[in-house]
Amino acid sequence: MSLSEARFHDLVDAVQEQVEDAFDDSDLDIDLENSAGVLTVRFENGSQVILSRQEPLRQLWVAARSGGFHFDYDEASGRWICDSSDEPLGELLNRVTREQAGEDLEFDEL
């Protein structure tokens, strides 16, 4: 069963808020911008991580220096899972934050 449009938007809004909160609670020097369903994280070194909703596909896309990643919501686990690697969103965000900002940041709930 695919996600309804309303449920999809609720899930993406919630996960983007969780990601913002994790970055806000960190000691990283970053800029966050959330506009029109796109969350942009700008690190001190100028690199970025971008989380965007892809409504027609009901996916969450993440763009990072290491590439682009597409996530589907898994109802059974309640997590966003990468469609090519089965990596949960939280693990990917931890990895790209370490790669781009040199810091470990936990995204436990994701």
Side-chain angles (χ1 to χ4, degrees), residues 36-99:
V38 177
L39 174 62
T40 303
V41 181
R42 288 183 187 86
F43 296 104
E44 186 177 21
N45 62 11
S47 69
Q48 299 179 39
V49 173
I50 300 169
L51 289 83
S52 62
R53 67 185 75 213
Q54 299 299 314
E55 185 178 331
L57 301 172
R58 300 295 197 265
Q59 288 186 322
L60 176 66
W61 288 7
V62 177
R65 205 175 353 187
S66 57
F69 307 91
H70 302 167
F71 289 81
D72 294 304
Y73 187 74
D74 178 59
E75 290 283 356
S77 67
R79 292 184 165 193
W80 290 93
I81 305 295
C82 184
D83 68 358
S84 62
S85 69
D86 290 331
E87 185 176 25
L89 177 62
E91 289 180 20
L92 177 113
L93 290 173
N94 176 268
R95 179 169 56 81
V96 299
T97 300
R98 187 174 51 253
E99 291 169 357

CSV table of all heavy atoms in Angstrom, one decimal, residues 36-99:
chain,number,residue,atom,x,y,z
A,36,ALA,N,9.7,25.5,1.3
A,36,ALA,CA,9.0,24.7,0.2
A,36,ALA,C,9.3,23.2,0.2
A,36,ALA,O,9.4,22.6,-0.8
A,36,ALA,CB,9.2,25.3,-1.1
A,37,GLY,N,9.4,22.6,1.4
A,37,GLY,CA,9.7,21.2,1.5
A,37,GLY,C,11.1,20.8,1.3
A,37,GLY,O,11.4,19.6,1.2
A,38,VAL,N,12.0,21.7,1.3
A,38,VAL,CA,13.4,21.4,1.1
A,38,VAL,C,14.2,21.9,2.3
A,38,VAL,O,14.2,23.1,2.6
A,38,VAL,CB,14.0,22.1,-0.2
A,38,VAL,CG1,15.5,21.8,-0.4
A,38,VAL,CG2,13.2,21.6,-1.4
A,39,LEU,N,14.9,21.0,3.0
A,39,LEU,CA,15.7,21.4,4.1
A,39,LEU,C,17.2,21.4,3.6
A,39,LEU,O,17.7,20.3,3.2
A,39,LEU,CB,15.5,20.4,5.3
A,39,LEU,CG,16.5,20.5,6.5
A,39,LEU,CD1,16.3,21.9,7.1
A,39,LEU,CD2,16.3,19.4,7.5
A,40,THR,N,17.8,22.5,3.8
A,40,THR,CA,19.2,22.7,3.4
A,40,THR,C,20.1,22.9,4.6
A,40,THR,O,19.8,23.8,5.4
A,40,THR,CB,19.4,23.8,2.4
A,40,THR,OG1,18.6,23.6,1.3
A,40,THR,CG2,20.9,24.0,2.0
A,41,VAL,N,21.1,22.0,4.8
A,41,VAL,CA,22.0,22.2,5.9
A,41,VAL,C,23.3,22.6,5.3
A,41,VAL,O,23.9,21.9,4.4
A,41,VAL,CB,22.2,20.8,6.6
A,41,VAL,CG1,23.2,20.9,7.8
A,41,VAL,CG2,20.9,20.2,7.1
A,42,ARG,N,23.8,23.8,5.7
A,42,ARG,CA,25.1,24.3,5.2
A,42,ARG,C,26.1,24.3,6.3
A,42,ARG,O,25.9,24.9,7.3
A,42,ARG,CB,24.9,25.8,4.7
A,42,ARG,CG,24.1,25.9,3.4
A,42,ARG,CD,24.0,27.4,2.9
A,42,ARG,NE,23.1,27.5,1.8
A,42,ARG,CZ,21.8,27.6,1.9
A,42,ARG,NH1,21.3,27.7,3.1
A,42,ARG,NH2,21.1,27.7,0.8
A,43,PHE,N,27.2,23.6,6.0
A,43,PHE,CA,28.3,23.4,7.0
A,43,PHE,C,29.2,24.6,6.9
A,43,PHE,O,29.3,25.3,5.9
A,43,PHE,CB,29.0,22.1,6.8
A,43,PHE,CG,28.1,20.9,7.1
A,43,PHE,CD1,27.6,20.1,6.0
A,43,PHE,CD2,27.7,20.5,8.3
A,43,PHE,CE1,26.8,19.1,6.2
A,43,PHE,CE2,26.9,19.4,8.6
A,43,PHE,CZ,26.5,18.7,7.5
A,44,GLU,N,30.1,24.8,7.9
A,44,GLU,CA,31.0,25.9,8.0
A,44,GLU,C,32.0,25.9,6.8
A,44,GLU,O,32.4,26.9,6.3
A,44,GLU,CB,31.8,25.7,9.3
A,44,GLU,CG,32.7,26.9,9.6
A,44,GLU,CD,33.4,26.8,10.9
A,44,GLU,OE1,33.5,25.6,11.5
A,44,GLU,OE2,33.9,27.8,11.4
A,45,ASN,N,32.3,24.7,6.3
A,45,ASN,CA,33.2,24.6,5.1
A,45,ASN,C,32.6,24.8,3.8
A,45,ASN,O,33.2,24.7,2.7
A,45,ASN,CB,33.9,23.2,5.1
A,45,ASN,CG,33.0,22.1,5.0
A,45,ASN,OD1,31.8,22.2,4.6
A,45,ASN,ND2,33.5,20.9,5.2
A,46,GLY,N,31.3,25.2,3.8
A,46,GLY,CA,30.6,25.5,2.5
A,46,GLY,C,29.8,24.3,1.9
A,46,GLY,O,29.1,24.5,1.0
A,47,SER,N,30.1,23.1,2.4
A,47,SER,CA,29.4,21.9,1.8
A,47,SER,C,28.0,21.9,2.4
A,47,SER,O,27.6,22.5,3.4
A,47,SER,CB,30.1,20.6,2.2
A,47,SER,OG,30.1,20.3,3.5
A,48,GLN,N,27.1,21.2,1.7
A,48,GLN,CA,25.7,21.1,2.0
A,48,GLN,C,25.2,19.7,2.0
A,48,GLN,O,25.7,18.8,1.3
A,48,GLN,CB,24.9,21.9,1.0
A,48,GLN,CG,25.2,23.4,0.9
A,48,GLN,CD,24.3,24.1,-0.1
A,48,GLN,OE1,23.2,23.8,-0.3
A,48,GLN,NE2,25.0,25.0,-0.9
A,49,VAL,N,24.1,19.5,2.8
A,49,VAL,CA,23.3,18.3,2.7
A,49,VAL,C,21.8,18.8,2.5
A,49,VAL,O,21.4,19.7,3.2
A,49,VAL,CB,23.3,17.5,4.0
A,49,VAL,CG1,22.3,16.3,3.9
A,49,VAL,CG2,24.7,16.9,4.2
A,50,ILE,N,21.2,18.3,1.5
A,50,ILE,CA,19.8,18.8,1.2
A,50,ILE,C,18.8,17.6,1.2
A,50,ILE,O,19.1,16.5,0.6
A,50,ILE,CB,19.8,19.4,-0.3
A,50,ILE,CG1,20.8,20.6,-0.3
A,50,ILE,CG2,18.4,19.8,-0.6
A,50,ILE,CD1,21.1,21.1,-1.7
A,51,LEU,N,17.8,17.8,2.0
A,51,LEU,CA,16.7,16.8,2.1
A,51,LEU,C,15.5,17.4,1.4
A,51,LEU,O,15.0,18.5,1.7
A,51,LEU,CB,16.3,16.5,3.5
A,51,LEU,CG,17.3,15.7,4.4
A,51,LEU,CD1,18.4,16.6,4.9
A,51,LEU,CD2,16.6,15.0,5.5
A,52,SER,N,15.0,16.7,0.4
A,52,SER,CA,13.8,17.2,-0.4
A,52,SER,C,12.8,16.1,-0.6
A,52,SER,O,13.1,15.0,-0.7
A,52,SER,CB,14.3,17.8,-1.7
A,52,SER,OG,14.8,16.8,-2.5
A,53,ARG,N,11.5,16.6,-0.6
A,53,ARG,CA,10.4,15.6,-0.8
A,53,ARG,C,10.2,15.5,-2.3
A,53,ARG,O,10.2,16.5,-3.0
A,53,ARG,CB,9.2,16.1,0.0
A,53,ARG,CG,8.5,17.3,-0.5
A,53,ARG,CD,7.4,17.7,0.4
A,53,ARG,NE,7.9,18.3,1.6
A,53,ARG,CZ,7.3,18.2,2.8
A,53,ARG,NH1,6.2,17.6,3.0
A,53,ARG,NH2,7.9,18.8,3.9
A,54,GLN,N,9.9,14.3,-2.7
A,54,GLN,CA,9.6,14.0,-4.1
A,54,GLN,C,8.2,13.4,-4.0
A,54,GLN,O,8.0,12.2,-4.0
A,54,GLN,CB,10.6,13.0,-4.7
A,54,GLN,CG,12.0,13.6,-4.7
A,54,GLN,CD,12.1,14.9,-5.5
A,54,GLN,OE1,11.6,15.0,-6.6
A,54,GLN,NE2,12.8,15.9,-4.9
A,55,GLU,N,7.2,14.3,-4.1
A,55,GLU,CA,5.8,13.9,-3.9
A,55,GLU,C,5.3,12.8,-4.9
A,55,GLU,O,4.7,11.9,-4.5
A,55,GLU,CB,4.9,15.1,-3.9
A,55,GLU,CG,3.5,14.8,-3.6
A,55,GLU,CD,2.6,16.0,-3.6
A,55,GLU,OE1,3.1,17.1,-3.3
A,55,GLU,OE2,1.4,15.9,-3.9
A,56,PRO,N,5.6,13.0,-6.2
A,56,PRO,CA,5.0,12.0,-7.1
A,56,PRO,C,5.5,10.5,-6.8
A,56,PRO,O,4.8,9.6,-7.0
A,56,PRO,CB,5.5,12.4,-8.5
A,56,PRO,CG,5.9,13.9,-8.3
A,56,PRO,CD,6.3,14.0,-6.9
A,57,LEU,N,6.7,10.4,-6.3
A,57,LEU,CA,7.3,9.1,-6.0
A,57,LEU,C,7.1,8.7,-4.6
A,57,LEU,O,7.5,7.6,-4.2
A,57,LEU,CB,8.8,9.1,-6.3
A,57,LEU,CG,9.2,9.4,-7.8
A,57,LEU,CD1,10.7,9.6,-7.9
A,57,LEU,CD2,8.6,8.4,-8.7
A,58,ARG,N,6.6,9.6,-3.7
A,58,ARG,CA,6.5,9.4,-2.3
A,58,ARG,C,7.8,9.0,-1.7
A,58,ARG,O,7.9,8.1,-0.9
A,58,ARG,CB,5.4,8.4,-2.0
A,58,ARG,CG,4.0,8.6,-2.5
A,58,ARG,CD,3.4,9.9,-1.8
A,58,ARG,NE,2.0,9.9,-2.0
A,58,ARG,CZ,1.3,10.6,-2.9
A,58,ARG,NH1,2.0,11.3,-3.8
A,58,ARG,NH2,0.0,10.6,-3.0
A,59,GLN,N,8.9,9.8,-2.1
A,59,GLN,CA,10.2,9.5,-1.6
A,59,GLN,C,10.8,10.8,-1.0
A,59,GLN,O,10.4,11.9,-1.3
A,59,GLN,CB,11.2,9.1,-2.7
A,59,GLN,CG,10.9,7.7,-3.2
A,59,GLN,CD,12.0,7.3,-4.2
A,59,GLN,OE1,12.4,8.0,-5.0
A,59,GLN,NE2,12.3,6.0,-4.1
A,60,LEU,N,11.8,10.6,-0.1
A,60,LEU,CA,12.6,11.6,0.5
A,60,LEU,C,14.0,11.5,-0.2
A,60,LEU,O,14.6,10.4,-0.1
A,60,LEU,CB,12.7,11.5,2.0
A,60,LEU,CG,13.6,12.4,2.7
A,60,LEU,CD1,13.0,13.9,2.6
A,60,LEU,CD2,13.7,12.0,4.2
A,61,TRP,N,14.4,12.6,-0.8
A,61,TRP,CA,15.8,12.5,-1.4
A,61,TRP,C,16.7,13.3,-0.6
A,61,TRP,O,16.4,14.3,-0.1
A,61,TRP,CB,15.7,13.1,-2.9
A,61,TRP,CG,15.0,12.2,-3.8
A,61,TRP,CD1,14.3,11.1,-3.6
A,61,TRP,CD2,14.9,12.5,-5.2
A,61,TRP,NE1,13.8,10.6,-4.8
A,61,TRP,CE2,14.1,11.4,-5.8
A,61,TRP,CE3,15.3,13.4,-6.1
A,61,TRP,CZ2,13.8,11.3,-7.1
A,61,TRP,CZ3,15.1,13.4,-7.4
A,61,TRP,CH2,14.3,12.3,-8.0
A,62,VAL,N,18.0,12.8,-0.5
A,62,VAL,CA,19.1,13.4,0.2
A,62,VAL,C,20.2,13.6,-0.8
A,62,VAL,O,20.7,12.6,-1.5
A,62,VAL,CB,19.5,12.6,1.4
A,62,VAL,CG1,20.7,13.2,2.1
A,62,VAL,CG2,18.4,12.4,2.4
A,63,ALA,N,20.7,14.8,-0.9
A,63,ALA,CA,21.8,15.1,-1.7
A,63,ALA,C,23.0,15.5,-0.8
A,63,ALA,O,22.8,16.4,0.1
A,63,ALA,CB,21.5,16.3,-2.7
A,64,ALA,N,24.1,14.9,-1.0
A,64,ALA,CA,25.3,15.2,-0.2
A,64,ALA,C,26.5,15.1,-1.1
A,64,ALA,O,26.4,14.8,-2.3
A,64,ALA,CB,25.4,14.1,0.9
A,65,ARG,N,27.7,15.5,-0.5
A,65,ARG,CA,28.9,15.5,-1.4
A,65,ARG,C,29.1,14.1,-2.0
A,65,ARG,O,29.7,14.0,-3.1
A,65,ARG,CB,30.1,15.9,-0.5
A,65,ARG,CG,31.1,16.5,-1.3
A,65,ARG,CD,32.3,17.1,-0.5
A,65,ARG,NE,32.2,17.2,0.9
A,65,ARG,CZ,33.1,17.8,1.7
A,65,ARG,NH1,34.1,18.3,1.2
A,65,ARG,NH2,32.9,17.8,3.0
A,66,SER,N,28.8,13.1,-1.2
A,66,SER,CA,29.0,11.7,-1.7
A,66,SER,C,28.0,11.2,-2.7
A,66,SER,O,28.2,10.0,-3.2
A,66,SER,CB,29.2,10.7,-0.5
A,66,SER,OG,28.0,10.8,0.3
A,67,GLY,N,27.0,11.9,-3.0
A,67,GLY,CA,26.0,11.5,-3.9
A,67,GLY,C,24.6,11.8,-3.6
A,67,GLY,O,24.3,12.5,-2.6
A,68,GLY,N,23.7,11.3,-4.4
A,68,GLY,CA,22.2,11.4,-4.2
A,68,GLY,C,21.6,10.1,-3.7
A,68,GLY,O,22.0,9.0,-4.2
A,69,PHE,N,20.7,10.2,-2.8
A,69,PHE,CA,20.1,9.0,-2.1
A,69,PHE,C,18.6,9.1,-2.1
A,69,PHE,O,18.1,10.2,-1.8
A,69,PHE,CB,20.7,8.8,-0.7
A,69,PHE,CG,22.2,8.8,-0.7
A,69,PHE,CD1,22.9,10.0,-0.5
A,69,PHE,CD2,22.9,7.6,-0.9
A,69,PHE,CE1,24.3,10.0,-0.5
A,69,PHE,CE2,24.3,7.7,-0.9
A,69,PHE,CZ,25.0,8.8,-0.7
A,70,HIS,N,17.9,8.1,-2.4
A,70,HIS,CA,16.4,8.1,-2.4
A,70,HIS,C,15.9,7.2,-1.3
A,70,HIS,O,16.3,6.0,-1.3
A,70,HIS,CB,15.9,7.6,-3.8
A,70,HIS,CG,16.5,8.4,-4.9
A,70,HIS,ND1,16.3,8.1,-6.2
A,70,HIS,CD2,17.1,9.7,-5.0
A,70,HIS,CE1,16.9,9.0,-7.0
A,70,HIS,NE2,17.4,10.0,-6.3
A,71,PHE,N,15.0,7.7,-0.5
A,71,PHE,CA,14.5,7.0,0.6
A,71,PHE,C,13.0,6.7,0.5
A,71,PHE,O,12.2,7.6,0.1
A,71,PHE,CB,14.7,7.7,1.9
A,71,PHE,CG,16.2,7.7,2.3
A,71,PHE,CD1,17.1,8.6,1.7
A,71,PHE,CD2,16.7,6.8,3.2
A,71,PHE,CE1,18.4,8.6,2.0
A,71,PHE,CE2,18.0,6.8,3.6
A,71,PHE,CZ,18.9,7.7,3.0
A,72,ASP,N,12.6,5.5,0.8
A,72,ASP,CA,11.2,5.1,0.9
A,72,ASP,C,10.8,4.9,2.3
A,72,ASP,O,11.7,4.5,3.1
A,72,ASP,CB,10.9,3.8,0.1
A,72,ASP,CG,11.1,3.9,-1.4
A,72,ASP,OD1,10.5,4.8,-2.0
A,72,ASP,OD2,11.9,3.1,-1.9
A,73,TYR,N,9.6,5.2,2.7
A,73,TYR,CA,9.2,5.0,4.1
A,73,TYR,C,8.8,3.6,4.3
A,73,TYR,O,8.0,3.0,3.5
A,73,TYR,CB,8.0,6.0,4.5
A,73,TYR,CG,7.7,5.9,5.9
A,73,TYR,CD1,8.5,6.5,6.9
A,73,TYR,CD2,6.6,5.2,6.4
A,73,TYR,CE1,8.3,6.4,8.2
A,73,TYR,CE2,6.3,5.1,7.7
A,73,TYR,CZ,7.1,5.7,8.6
A,73,TYR,OH,6.9,5.6,10.0
A,74,ASP,N,9.3,3.0,5.3
A,74,ASP,CA,9.0,1.6,5.7
A,74,ASP,C,8.1,1.6,6.9
A,74,ASP,O,8.5,1.9,8.0
A,74,ASP,CB,10.3,0.8,6.0
A,74,ASP,CG,10.0,-0.6,6.4
A,74,ASP,OD1,9.4,-1.4,5.6
A,74,ASP,OD2,10.4,-1.0,7.5
A,75,GLU,N,6.8,1.2,6.6
A,75,GLU,CA,5.8,1.2,7.7
A,75,GLU,C,6.2,0.3,8.8
A,75,GLU,O,6.0,0.6,10.0
A,75,GLU,CB,4.4,0.9,7.1
A,75,GLU,CG,3.8,1.9,6.3
A,75,GLU,CD,3.2,3.1,7.0
A,75,GLU,OE1,3.2,3.1,8.3
A,75,GLU,OE2,2.8,4.0,6.4
A,76,ALA,N,6.8,-0.9,8.5
A,76,ALA,CA,7.1,-1.9,9.5
A,76,ALA,C,8.1,-1.4,10.5
A,76,ALA,O,7.9,-1.6,11.7
A,76,ALA,CB,7.6,-3.2,8.9
A,77,SER,N,9.1,-0.7,10.1
A,77,SER,CA,10.1,-0.2,11.0
A,77,SER,C,9.9,1.3,11.4
A,77,SER,O,10.5,1.8,12.4
A,77,SER,CB,11.5,-0.3,10.4
A,77,SER,OG,11.6,0.6,9.3
A,78,GLY,N,9.0,2.0,10.7
A,78,GLY,CA,8.8,3.4,11.0
A,78,GLY,C,9.9,4.3,10.6
A,78,GLY,O,10.1,5.3,11.2
A,79,ARG,N,10.7,3.8,9.6
A,79,ARG,CA,11.9,4.6,9.2
A,79,ARG,C,12.0,4.8,7.7
A,79,ARG,O,11.4,4.0,6.9
A,79,ARG,CB,13.2,3.8,9.6
A,79,ARG,CG,13.4,3.7,11.1
A,79,ARG,CD,14.6,3.1,11.4
A,79,ARG,NE,14.9,3.3,12.8
A,79,ARG,CZ,16.1,3.1,13.4
A,79,ARG,NH1,17.1,2.6,12.7
A,79,ARG,NH2,16.3,3.4,14.7
A,80,TRP,N,12.7,5.8,7.3
A,80,TRP,CA,13.0,6.0,5.9
A,80,TRP,C,14.3,5.2,5.6
A,80,TRP,O,15.3,5.3,6.2
A,80,TRP,CB,13.3,7.5,5.7
A,80,TRP,CG,12.1,8.3,5.8
A,80,TRP,CD1,11.6,9.0,6.9
A,80,TRP,CD2,11.1,8.6,4.8
A,80,TRP,NE1,10.5,9.6,6.7
A,80,TRP,CE2,10.1,9.5,5.3
A,80,TRP,CE3,11.0,8.3,3.4
A,80,TRP,CZ2,9.0,9.9,4.6
A,80,TRP,CZ3,9.9,8.7,2.7
A,80,TRP,CH2,8.9,9.6,3.3
A,81,ILE,N,14.1,4.4,4.5
A,81,ILE,CA,15.2,3.4,4.1
A,81,ILE,C,15.6,3.7,2.7
A,81,ILE,O,14.8,3.9,1.8
A,81,ILE,CB,14.7,2.0,4.2
A,81,ILE,CG1,14.1,1.6,5.6
A,81,ILE,CG2,15.8,1.0,3.8
A,81,ILE,CD1,15.1,1.7,6.7
A,82,CYS,N,17.0,3.8,2.5
A,82,CYS,CA,17.5,4.0,1.1
A,82,CYS,C,17.1,2.9,0.2
A,82,CYS,O,17.3,1.7,0.5
A,82,CYS,CB,19.0,4.2,1.2
A,82,CYS,SG,19.8,4.6,-0.3
A,83,ASP,N,16.6,3.3,-1.0
A,83,ASP,CA,16.1,2.3,-1.9
A,83,ASP,C,17.2,1.5,-2.6
A,83,ASP,O,17.0,0.4,-3.2
A,83,ASP,CB,15.1,2.8,-2.9
A,83,ASP,CG,15.8,3.8,-3.9
A,83,ASP,OD1,17.0,4.1,-3.8
A,83,ASP,OD2,15.0,4.3,-4.8
A,84,SER,N,18.5,2.0,-2.5
A,84,SER,CA,19.6,1.3,-3.2
A,84,SER,C,20.5,0.5,-2.2
A,84,SER,O,21.1,-0.5,-2.6
A,84,SER,CB,20.4,2.2,-4.0
A,84,SER,OG,21.0,3.2,-3.2
A,85,SER,N,20.5,0.9,-1.0
A,85,SER,CA,21.5,0.3,0.0
A,85,SER,C,20.8,-0.3,1.2
A,85,SER,O,21.5,-0.9,2.0
A,85,SER,CB,22.5,1.3,0.4
A,85,SER,OG,21.9,2.3,1.2
A,86,ASP,N,19.5,0.0,1.4
A,86,ASP,CA,18.8,-0.4,2.6
A,86,ASP,C,19.3,0.3,3.9
A,86,ASP,O,19.1,-0.1,5.0
A,86,ASP,CB,18.8,-1.9,2.8
A,86,ASP,CG,17.9,-2.6,1.8
A,86,ASP,OD1,17.0,-2.0,1.3
A,86,ASP,OD2,18.2,-3.8,1.5
A,87,GLU,N,20.1,1.4,3.7
A,87,GLU,CA,20.7,2.1,4.8
A,87,GLU,C,19.5,3.0,5.4
A,87,GLU,O,18.9,3.8,4.6
A,87,GLU,CB,21.8,3.0,4.4
A,87,GLU,CG,22.6,3.7,5.4
A,87,GLU,CD,23.8,4.5,4.9
A,87,GLU,OE1,23.8,4.8,3.7
A,87,GLU,OE2,24.7,4.7,5.7
A,88,PRO,N,19.3,3.0,6.7
A,88,PRO,CA,18.3,3.9,7.3
A,88,PRO,C,18.8,5.4,7.2
A,88,PRO,O,20.0,5.6,7.2
A,88,PRO,CB,18.3,3.5,8.8
A,88,PRO,CG,18.8,2.1,8.8
A,88,PRO,CD,19.8,2.1,7.7
A,89,LEU,N,17.9,6.3,7.1
A,89,LEU,CA,18.2,7.7,7.0
A,89,LEU,C,19.1,8.2,8.0
A,89,LEU,O,20.1,8.9,7.8
A,89,LEU,CB,16.9,8.5,7.0
A,89,LEU,CG,17.1,10.0,6.9
A,89,LEU,CD1,17.7,10.5,5.6
A,89,LEU,CD2,15.7,10.7,7.1
A,90,GLY,N,18.9,7.8,9.3
A,90,GLY,CA,19.8,8.3,10.4
A,90,GLY,C,21.2,7.9,10.2
A,90,GLY,O,22.1,8.7,10.5
A,91,GLU,N,21.5,6.6,9.7
A,91,GLU,CA,22.8,6.2,9.5
A,91,GLU,C,23.5,7.0,8.4
A,91,GLU,O,24.7,7.4,8.5
A,91,GLU,CB,22.9,4.7,9.2
A,91,GLU,CG,22.6,3.8,10.4
A,91,GLU,CD,22.6,2.3,10.1
A,91,GLU,OE1,23.2,2.0,9.0
A,91,GLU,OE2,22.0,1.6,10.8
A,92,LEU,N,22.7,7.2,7.3
A,92,LEU,CA,23.3,8.0,6.2
A,92,LEU,C,23.6,9.4,6.7
A,92,LEU,O,24.7,10.0,6.3
A,92,LEU,CB,22.3,8.1,5.0
A,92,LEU,CG,22.9,8.9,3.9
A,92,LEU,CD1,23.2,8.1,2.7
A,92,LEU,CD2,21.9,10.1,3.6
A,93,LEU,N,22.7,10.1,7.4
A,93,LEU,CA,23.0,11.4,7.9
A,93,LEU,C,24.2,11.5,8.8
A,93,LEU,O,25.0,12.4,8.7
A,93,LEU,CB,21.7,12.0,8.6
A,93,LEU,CG,20.5,12.3,7.6
A,93,LEU,CD1,19.3,12.7,8.5
A,93,LEU,CD2,20.9,13.4,6.6
A,94,ASN,N,24.4,10.5,9.7
A,94,ASN,CA,25.5,10.4,10.5
A,94,ASN,C,26.8,10.3,9.6
A,94,ASN,O,27.8,11.1,9.9
A,94,ASN,CB,25.5,9.3,11.5
A,94,ASN,CG,26.7,9.1,12.3
A,94,ASN,OD1,27.6,8.4,11.9
A,94,ASN,ND2,26.8,9.8,13.4
A,95,ARG,N,26.8,9.5,8.6
A,95,ARG,CA,27.9,9.3,7.8
A,95,ARG,C,28.3,10.5,7.0
A,95,ARG,O,29.4,10.9,6.9
A,95,ARG,CB,27.7,8.1,6.8
A,95,ARG,CG,28.8,7.8,5.9
A,95,ARG,CD,28.6,6.5,5.1
A,95,ARG,NE,27.4,6.4,4.4
A,95,ARG,CZ,27.1,6.9,3.2
A,95,ARG,NH1,28.1,7.6,2.6
A,95,ARG,NH2,26.0,6.7,2.6
A,96,VAL,N,27.3,11.2,6.4
A,96,VAL,CA,27.6,12.3,5.6
A,96,VAL,C,28.0,13.5,6.4
A,96,VAL,O,28.8,14.4,6.0
A,96,VAL,CB,26.5,12.7,4.6
A,96,VAL,CG1,26.2,11.6,3.6
A,96,VAL,CG2,25.2,13.1,5.2
A,97,THR,N,27.5,13.6,7.6
A,97,THR,CA,27.9,14.7,8.5
A,97,THR,C,29.3,14.5,8.9
A,97,THR,O,30.1,15.4,9.0
A,97,THR,CB,27.0,14.8,9.8
A,97,THR,OG1,25.6,15.0,9.4
A,97,THR,CG2,27.4,15.9,10.7
A,98,ARG,N,29.7,13.3,9.2
A,98,ARG,CA,31.1,13.0,9.5
A,98,ARG,C,32.0,13.3,8.3
A,98,ARG,O,33.1,13.9,8.5
A,98,ARG,CB,31.2,11.5,10.0
A,98,ARG,CG,32.6,11.1,10.5
A,98,ARG,CD,32.7,9.7,11.1
A,98,ARG,NE,32.1,8.7,10.2
A,98,ARG,CZ,31.0,8.0,10.3
A,98,ARG,NH1,30.2,8.3,11.3
A,98,ARG,NH2,30.6,7.1,9.4
A,99,GLU,N,31.6,12.9,7.1
A,99,GLU,CA,32.4,13.1,5.9
A,99,GLU,C,32.5,14.6,5.6
A,99,GLU,O,33.6,15.1,5.2
A,99,GLU,CB,31.7,12.4,4.7
A,99,GLU,CG,31.8,10.9,4.8
A,99,GLU,CD,30.9,10.3,3.7
A,99,GLU,OE1,30.2,10.9,3.0
A,99,GLU,OE2,31.0,9.0,3.6
